[in-house]
Amino acid sequence: INHNSETLKEIASLLKQLTPHTKAHFISILPLSNESNYCKNCNEEVKKLNSYLKSICYRNNISFIDIQDKFMKKGGTVDLSLVINDGLHLNGKGYQLFYKLLTPYI
């Protein structure tokens, strides 16, 4: 994960310039299970990226909705009851939680 990328900063800046009256929300990146084929043991990087994203949002007065921890168990692992067997994509129960967490912002 490249934290030096200007892409996120550019997106935040463009949102403010092009649609100053639009209420934008950035949502934290969800964790991946260690069983995921996409990334092994990468949740520390996901946390760093979420922290970086949160700081960009703060500097640009954009709402950041941090829901990452809601998809994890107390021990810091992904709640496997919320994802399909690839360890990445949400299942029905996971999407219900996702919807519940985002509804107050819509």
Side-chain angles (χ1 to χ4, degrees), residues 4 6 14 23 46 52 58 61 67 70 73 102 104:
N4 296 323
E6 295 295 313
L14 281 172
K23 189 172 182 179
V46 170
Y52 177 68
Y58 179 77
N61 198 28
I67 60 172
K70 303 292 185 189
K73 292 183 177 182
L102 297 183

Side-chain angles (χ1 to χ4, degrees), residues 14-68:
L14 281 172
L15 281 171
K16 298 293 282 185
Q17 289 174 21
L18 299 175
T19 60
H21 301 293
T22 299
K23 189 172 182 179
H25 304 285
F26 279 32
I27 303 167
S28 60
I29 297 168
L30 298 180
L32 290 87
S33 78
N34 288 336
E35 291 80 19
S36 170
N37 294 327
Y38 302 98
C39 185
K40 301 286 184 201
N41 301 314
C42 65
N43 284 325
E44 284 305 313
E45 288 298 313
V46 170
K47 285 182 183 183
K48 288 177 189 175
L49 185 55
N50 280 333
S51 178
Y52 177 68
L53 180 58
K54 184 177 183 177
S55 71
I56 290 170
C57 289
Y58 179 77
R59 287 193 302 269
N60 288 280
N61 198 28
I62 295 173
S63 170
F64 180 74
I65 306 169
D66 191 357
I67 60 172
Q68 176 182 7

Side-chain angles (χ1 to χ4, degrees), residues 76-101:
T77 60
V78 173
D79 184 344
L80 295 177
S81 74
L82 301 173
V83 295
I84 63 173
N85 63 356
D86 69 358
L88 171 66
H89 296 95
L90 299 176
N91 61 20
K93 184 178 174 183
Y95 276 115
Q96 286 176 346
L97 176 59
F98 190 79
Y99 174 80
K100 178 183 172 186
L101 295 169

